[in-house]
Amino acid sequence: MPDPRTTSIYIDPTATVPVSVTISPFCVIQGKVSLGENVTLGVGCVIEEGATIGAGSTLGHHVTIAAGATVGDGCQLSAHVSIGSGARIGARTRVGEHTAVYPLTELGEDGFIGSSASVGRFPKAAATSTVKAQADLPPLKMGKGYTIGCSSVLYAGTTYGDQVFLGDGALVRERCTIGKNVVIGSGVAVENDTSIGAYTKIQTGSYITAYMEIEERVFIAPMVTTTNDNYMGRTEKRFKSLRGAKICRGARVGGGSILLPGVCVAQETFVAAGALVTKDTVEKRVVKGFPAQDLREVPEEELLQE
């Protein structure tokens, strides 16, 4: 470890810094910081009061770990990453350049976050928005083994199960519940107060509106649009009926389809590409057209087997 008396490094005397730690120039280590064995700090890192960095972790240049944050063993944080106060980063997490993890966010072990992502940020609503910002949102919580793509934006107040995959540029708003092994593709937007069941796949560019319920093992093809407001922003009546679609277990929704507010896509329904779903569907039936009409039964070999 460089001698702080002869280099451009500041180490508070109350910090715990083993001799195996490598510290580059212009780093600042504040009071009561705890660094594990064999930690490496790049140029210009700032580790604030009471933060902890686990053994074998590597920080790139100009990384900031805010007060009280915890970085687990074996993590790799690239240049210009910022970890907010009180955040908890699970062991063996890899984070790309210029990513921000916001205060109190909890990330499980063995995760990957691409560059320029925002994880756990708090929403700021427009003055005319029907959804007002909630000051007391709980922190974002992410399970183990996740992947978060580059430039993704994930808001506070949402929980994620293990092995979730979010593609580049995905957006997930507040107060959502995302089950294990869910795939949310590149450019997908998931609005507030929506639940998505385990093993569901939502493909590139689809729009999942607020107040939706999507059950387990649903498949949503690219560019699907869902809606929740029959009044399209006019009259006070809309607030009483604001409701997204419900998509039941095992349903499949084809590319470019549109689901109108409040419709129920029944279990194992097959919605053909380009369909406009204006009313509830019948279980295990294929619907097709604009508007969608009942066409035939879903073949037995296409139904979920478990």
Side-chain angles (χ1 to χ4, degrees):
M1 183 182 72
D3 185 345
R5 295 170 298 178
T6 60
T7 64
S8 51
I9 296 171
Y10 172 76
I11 302 176
D12 188 277
T14 64
T16 300
V17 183
V19 294
S20 61
V21 170
T22 300
I23 305 176
S24 299
F26 308 111
C27 286
V28 174
I29 300 174
Q30 296 183 357
K32 300 181 181 178
V33 164
S34 178
L35 303 184
E37 297 286 348
N38 299 305
V39 166
T40 299
L41 305 183
V43 173
C45 289
V46 177
I47 316 300
E48 295 184 357
E49 190 88 13
T52 299
I53 301 177
S57 291
T58 300
L59 278 58
H61 301 324
H62 305 289
V63 170
T64 299
I65 310 296
T70 299
V71 176
D73 294 347
C75 291
Q76 299 177 31
L77 310 184
S78 299
H80 301 282
V81 165
S82 64
I83 306 297
S85 58
R88 302 178 65 86
I89 312 300
R92 298 173 299 280
T93 296
R94 295 176 293 150
V95 183
E97 295 180 351
H98 298 281
T99 282
V101 177
Y102 284 76
L104 301 178
T105 296
E106 299 181 21
L107 303 179
E109 299 176 350
D110 300 303
F112 171 84
I113 307 175
S115 60
S116 301
S118 294
V119 181
R121 64 171 292 188
F122 279 77
K124 181 174 175 56
T128 57
S129 176
T130 58
V131 179
K132 302 305 179 185
Q134 182 181 337
D136 59 346
L137 280 175
L140 179 149
K141 295 185 179 181
M142 181 75 66
K144 300 176 182 179
Y146 59 88
T147 297
I148 300 172
C150 298
S151 302
S152 294
V153 179
L154 310 182
Y155 283 74
T158 289
T159 60
Y160 299 79
D162 294 342
Q163 305 294 329
V164 166
F165 180 96
L166 297 112
D168 296 340
L171 168 70
V172 181
R173 293 296 303 257
E174 65 275 15
R175 297 187 300 274
C176 294
T177 302
I178 314 298
K180 67 179 182 180
N181 291 92
V182 165
V183 173
I184 297 174
S186 298
V188 169
V190 178
E191 297 284 13
N192 54 280
D193 299 280
T194 287
S195 63
I196 302 175
Y199 297 97
T200 285
K201 296 180 180 179
I202 305 174
Q203 296 199 319
T204 301
S206 288
Y207 176 74
I208 306 303
T209 194
Y211 311 112
M212 278 192 66
E213 180 182 355
I214 302 173
E215 294 185 349
E216 294 185 358
R217 299 186 185 275
V218 167
F219 178 86
I220 298 175
M223 310 308 291
V224 168
T225 300
T226 61
T227 58
N228 65 12
D229 183 3
N230 277 316
Y231 299 93
M232 296 178 67
R234 300 281 173 85
T235 83
E236 294 300 308
K237 288 191 291 187
R238 74 186 192 276
F239 294 112
K240 295 181 180 179
S241 59
L242 202 64
R243 185 160 59 97
K246 178 179 180 179
I247 307 177
C248 296
R249 184 177 187 272
R252 291 171 288 169
V253 182
S257 298
I258 302 171
L259 308 184
L260 292 193
V263 299
C264 178
V265 179
Q267 186 168 319
E268 297 276 19
T269 293
F270 185 105
V271 178
L276 172 65
V277 181
T278 62
K279 59 185 180 181
D280 296 352
T281 70
V282 176
E283 185 176 312
K284 301 179 183 178
R285 299 292 296 181
V286 177
V287 297
K288 176 182 178 180
F290 205 90
Q293 302 294 326
D294 186 276
L295 181 64
R296 58 174 170 82
E297 200 168 37
V298 174
E300 186 70 27
E301 65 269 18
E302 291 187 20
L303 299 177
L304 294 174
Q305 300 304 308
E306 62 267 56

